[in-house]
Structures are given as C-alpha cells and as structure tokens.
Amino acid sequence: GGVSLDLWAKGQFLIDGVPGGEHFLTVAAWDKNYFVKSITWTDRDLLRQPLKVTEGSEIKNVQIVLSRDVGTITAHLVSAEDKKPLGGQWFILVPSDELRWTRTDSFIFGYTDKQGAFKATGAPGEYVLVIQTRNVQPNTTIDYIRQRAAGPRVTLKFGEQSDIEIAVPVK
C-alpha cells in the first residue's frame, strides 16, 4: 500500500500508510500568496527536524500554520564586475538558515528576463542567491548549496520591495 491523505472540515487531516523511519512533512502552498509559517508537533519544529515514525504508531496533533504575510521583491541582477544586466539567468533563493536546506519546498526558484529583472514571492526572511548554470538541471543538494552559500543575500520583508539591484560575482 501507499501513503494516502484524507482532509476533513476545519483543516483536520489524516495521513495513512506512512512507513517507519524519519520523514519531512512537506506542504505545498500552490497559491504564492501563502507560505508555510510553521509545522510543529509537541515541542518539535518539523520545518527543521524530521518526524520519526515507528511502524504501527499513531502521531496526533501535528499543527500546520499557513500565513498570508508573504514578502515580494522586484529586483534585477547585475554583474558585480561591470554592472551589466544578467539576463536569462536561472537562480534559487535558498533560506540562509542551513537547517532548512533539506527542504526544497522552502526554496524560491526563478529566472531573470532579458534586462536581468525578476519578481519573487515567499516567506519573509533572509535568503542566499544561488546562481544556476544554464541548460543544467537545478542542483539542490546540501553540498552544492554549501559551496555557493557565500552568494549575495536577499531579504524578503512582509509587503513589497521594488527596484532592488543585486550585484552577483560572475565566475
């Protein structure tokens, strides 16, 4: 059997058929006007720690909190060397909190237009800008992110910020 999810009124849910082991509970908020603010169980922060499930056990009262208090940034990427726009550039905004790197649902994926402009919406906080190589599948492994964690910082604040210039070292 597989894993199944049943939803009930008042936001209650049941996930059935979860095998024993450590699992990260992932919630996808398809509407970019929401983000997952917290996932907790007893005193555990399940955004930063896996949930340990033993075979045949039942875990109750996991709480998931969604928020509409998103941050949006309109910015453009330029080369740190000559300030030329980085058009058509793929990137990932990765939370600066390394404990969140195991959860790609906390990443914001994007690309710039021909003038290097982009708009990103997500959970408020500090992010590391990780430039992606064109025509290469995005790499989201912890080692890959760690090697690039010295990249420019981007802070999403509640509400909207615009006309932000981000200088990126081009290697």
Side-chain angles (χ1 to χ4, degrees), residues 3-69:
V3 176
S4 66
L5 172 67
D6 295 316
L7 294 172
W8 297 301
K10 297 183 182 179
Q12 296 181 358
F13 62 92
L14 169 70
I15 302 173
D16 198 4
V18 178
E22 291 188 348
H23 302 279
F24 280 99
L25 186 58
T26 302
V27 177
W30 299 111
D31 181 341
K32 290 197 183 280
N33 294 320
Y34 289 91
F35 71 95
V36 179
K37 185 173 184 175
S38 66
I39 303 176
T40 55
W41 177 64
T42 61
D43 62 345
R44 294 181 64 85
D45 178 353
L46 299 182
L47 285 178
R48 291 170 178 81
Q49 303 170 14
L51 180 61
K52 294 177 184 171
V53 177
T54 54
E55 200 71 40
S57 69
E58 186 175 275
I59 296 173
K60 292 184 175 192
N61 300 320
V62 171
Q63 295 206 341
I64 300 170
V65 176
L66 300 179
S67 175
R68 285 187 147 187
D69 296 337

Side-chain angles (χ1 to χ4, degrees), residues 90-111:
W90 289 91
F91 64 88
I92 306 173
L93 293 177
V94 179
S96 59
D97 177 357
E98 191 171 334
L99 292 175
R100 303 279 312 271
W101 293 358
T102 57
R103 303 179 58 91
T104 57
D105 60 327
S106 66
F107 295 4
I108 300 170
F109 297 86
Y111 63 93

Side-chain angles (χ1 to χ4, degrees), residues 92 94 98 100-104 107 109 130 132 137-149:
I92 306 173
V94 179
E98 191 171 334
R100 303 279 312 271
W101 293 358
T102 57
R103 303 179 58 91
T104 57
F107 295 4
F109 297 86
V130 176
Q132 295 291 285
Q137 183 72 20
N139 189 334
T140 57
T141 63
I142 291 176
D143 287 339
Y144 181 87
I145 301 298
R146 191 172 284 128
Q147 291 168 6
R148 288 153 181 82

